[in-house]
Amino acid sequence: PQGQNVKAADPPPPSGGPGSGKGTQCERIVAKYGLAHLSSGDLLRAEVASGSERGNRLKAIMESGELVSLDIVLELIRDAMLARGAAGAKGFLIDGYPRELEQGVRFESELVPCKAVLFFDVSEEAMQQRLLKRGETSGRVDDNEATIRKRFQTFQQLTKPVIEHYKGQGKVIQVDASGSVDEVFGQVQKQLDALKL
Ligand code: B4P
């Protein structure tokens, strides 16, 4: 399999609907636990910002609220893990991935098994409010009402089954993400401390 030389410790990939606060929590987690943070969304946005032809195609897909192709995301993540692993990362926190079951299956068979999956659970109403608030200043092509609706559908159809899959393996750490950033991080710390990363 490709990428067998990724040697760093198993990643706990965070999941959660769009606007659940995963990116926000990841920043705090890496600061405390010394993991390398890779966000599939950030990697994709960097590709878009490069102005490449592939980036332009990705931008259109992200604007529509759908998922970009499996192979492109896996390749971006693999390259980033190899780069960060070579730089001595002790483990990876992979943010926004896997977003469909096949992504998780291929990640674990081609790269490395994951240790845990963080799921930030919060209502669609709260997620929508957060995303619309961010949209006032973010300039992101997907922080608008129509795209947010589509992102929620994508989450229900494709990403929810990922959580069920990992629940079946006993790997899901579920966090109530309805509170403030500090309250949510308090719960995250309790759970991650128990994992002894
Ligand atoms: P992402 O970049 O993952 O976007 P996101 O779901 O909005 O999460 P993000 O981490 O940015 O926001 P957060 O919830 O922390 O994906 C964007 C698009 O890229 C996807 O739609 C898809 O097209 C593509 N993509 C990404 N990964 C992919 C993959 N694996 N496969 C295929 N396609 C992929 O924060 C949202 C807002 O809430 C922020 O403004 C934050 O400040 C606020 N907030 C956070 N916590 C809060 C709290 N506790 N209280 C109040 N506000 C809070």
Side-chain angles (χ1 to χ4, degrees):
Q2 301 163 316
Q4 254 181 347
N5 49 345
V6 173
K7 290 228 172 52
D10 328 287
S15 191
S20 59
K22 58 189 179 300
T24 309
Q25 293 297 322
C26 282
E27 284 175 25
R28 299 218 170 176
I29 294 169
V30 292
K32 173 158 183 191
Y33 296 95
L35 300 168
H37 177 204
L38 301 178
S39 152
S40 50
D42 287 351
L43 291 169
L44 290 165
R45 280 185 286 278
E47 186 70 26
V48 171
S50 77
S52 68
E53 201 194 312
R54 180 163 84 169
N56 290 336
R57 285 201 305 273
L58 294 177
K59 182 178 177 207
I61 297 168
M62 290 166 82
E63 210 160 359
S64 76
E66 291 178 9
L67 297 182
V68 310
S69 112
L70 193 72
D71 289 313
I72 293 178
V73 193
L74 191 60
E75 196 179 303
L76 288 172
I77 288 183
R78 184 182 56 232
D79 290 352
M81 285 179 79
L82 287 168
R84 300 289 286 274
K90 77 169 192 186
F92 293 94
L93 183 68
I94 303 189
D95 168 2
Y97 186 98
R99 264 208 173 52
E100 58 182 326
L101 199 48
E102 181 75 6
Q103 289 189 357
V105 170
R106 287 202 38 201
F107 180 94
E108 292 198 297
S109 70
E110 295 179 26
L111 298 179
V112 64
C114 75
K115 186 163 187 171
V117 175
L118 266 168
F119 170 40
F120 295 104
D121 189 27
V122 60
S123 70
E124 279 192 4
E125 202 187 353
M127 293 194 283
Q128 178 166 14
Q129 274 173 16
R130 291 175 186 179
L131 291 172
L132 288 176
K133 183 151 184 283
R134 181 172 68 184
E136 290 167 10
T137 53
S138 70
R140 269 177 57 162
V141 293
D142 54 355
D143 281 344
N144 62 76
E145 221 169 316
T147 308
I148 291 167
R149 246 195 323 274
K150 178 65 189 158
R151 288 160 73 193
F152 286 159
Q153 278 174 17
T154 304
F155 177 72
Q156 289 297 338
Q157 285 166 6
L158 298 173
T159 311
K160 272 279 176 75
V162 175
I163 297 157
E164 294 312 312
H165 171 77
Y166 286 106
K167 271 188 180 163
Q169 296 184 1
K171 286 183 173 174
V172 172
I173 295 173
Q174 185 156 338
V175 171
D176 172 4
S178 60
S180 69
V181 172
D182 284 343
E183 283 163 0
V184 178
F185 189 57
Q187 291 182 57
V188 168
Q189 285 178 96
K190 267 193 210 139
Q191 304 260 23
L192 291 186
D193 285 350
L195 270 186
K196 304 205 187 314
L197 290 170

